[in-house]
Amino acid sequence: KQEVTQIPAALSVPEGENLVLNCSFTDSAIYNLQWFRQDPGKGLTSLLLIQSSQREQTSGRLNASLDKSSGRSTLYIAASQPGDSATYLCAVRSNDMRFGAGTRLTVKP
Amino acid sequence: EAQVTQNPRYLITVTGKKLTVTCSQNMNHEYMSWYRQDPGLGLRQIYYSMNVEVTDKGDVPEGYKVSRKEKRNFPLILESPSPNQTSLYFCASGEGSTEAFFGQGTRLTVV
């Protein structure tokens, strides 16, 4: 059974810092990995999708990497802003789709 | 517009009264799934379906039923809801290696 782990569970940084969120998974036989953002009590917003054959994807200040052989993905956020404060979830898609517990990010002005 | 639609968005019900949360997608996806989200526990999978008439248990299937009679719909049925099923529920759909789409969520309270 696929296990997905995200560290750290929570992160607080001052505005403007670059930061990295980590996601690891136990079974490398995946279709893709997707990063989501979730604001409190709200739905999931898809940020980036990395196919199993890809190494990274970029969107604006966000860059996600994937090392399938080692079972790891990182989400890099450049020049963080208070509006980036949210919980970030990674989800791994194989036969089904499994989530990590998330990293709660706080960016302080 | 690609969409996963859940209904209702909010529901307060009483213990033991059967209810159904509907989920519909307009992308002809084969894969659909239900999750519940509770504080501190993240998103846990309840049931998933790889295609019509094919369903499998996730991590927390107890107290829930699903059916997949047609591709676009994947309803979640609570035959006898209990207070421990109070949660935020999400439905998702996807296709192979493509992006997964999520519904807006259903906030269920069982009193």
Side-chain angles (χ1 to χ4, degrees):
Chain A
K1 186 175 84 169
Q2 181 77 270
E3 301 283 343
V4 183
T5 304
Q6 289 187 247
I7 53 173
L11 181 63
S12 180
V13 300
E15 181 177 4
E17 274 206 3
N18 303 324
L19 59 100
V20 175
L21 309 180
N22 297 288
C23 174
S24 62
F25 49 95
T26 55
D27 185 352
S28 61
I30 66 171
Y31 291 136
N32 60 46
L33 185 145
Q34 198 166 348
W35 282 93
F36 293 88
R37 168 192 172 130
Q38 186 179 31
D39 294 294
K42 303 294 185 183
L44 281 72
T45 300
S46 180
L47 298 174
L48 288 164
L49 171 74
I50 312 179
Q51 304 290 355
S52 63
S53 59
Q54 296 176 322
R55 298 285 291 183
E56 66 178 305
Q57 282 288 326
T58 298
S59 176
R61 294 182 294 108
L62 305 179
N63 176 277
S65 69
L66 174 64
D67 183 343
K68 199 174 70 163
S69 61
S70 67
R72 286 189 287 200
S73 176
T74 62
L75 179 67
Y76 175 83
I77 303 176
S80 58
Q81 303 170 356
D84 294 330
S85 298
T87 295
Y88 291 80
L89 298 161
C90 75
V92 176
R93 177 82 199 277
S94 41
N95 281 335
D96 61 351
M97 188 172 190
R98 306 190 72 84
F99 282 82
T103 295
R104 189 172 70 252
L105 173 66
T106 304
V107 181
K108 298 177 180 177
Chain B
E1 180 190 353
Q3 215 166 341
V4 177
T5 304
Q6 289 179 233
N7 279 297
R9 294 286 312 279
Y10 302 91
L11 179 60
I12 301 174
T13 191
V14 296
T15 298
K17 184 177 181 182
K18 180 179 179 179
L19 66 93
T20 299
V21 184
T22 64
C23 176
S24 180
Q25 50 99 359
N26 63 359
M27 295 162 279
N28 203 37
H29 286 163
E30 290 186 343
Y31 173 83
M32 296 187 75
S33 183
W34 276 102
Y35 300 85
R36 63 177 288 174
Q37 187 175 35
D38 304 287
L41 296 177
L43 274 148
R44 294 180 293 168
Q45 191 174 57
I46 303 170
Y47 272 94
Y48 65 99
S49 170
M50 298 299 288
N51 212 327
V52 174
E53 302 292 0
V54 180
T55 62
D56 283 292
K57 295 178 180 178
D59 295 324
V60 288
E62 295 78 20
Y64 304 95
K65 285 176 57 177
V66 292
S67 69
R68 188 90 183 274
K69 292 183 168 53
E70 49 189 344
K71 211 173 201 181
R72 66 181 291 119
N73 295 321
F74 191 43
L76 180 69
I77 302 157
L78 286 72
E79 295 270 5
S80 184
S82 62
N84 66 12
Q85 292 178 297
T86 293
S87 188
L88 179 59
Y89 292 85
F90 288 101
C91 177
S93 77
E95 187 73 33
S97 61
T98 62
E99 179 181 6
F101 291 81
F102 279 77
Q104 289 296 97
T106 295
R107 187 168 294 282
L108 172 65
T109 302
V110 184
V111 298

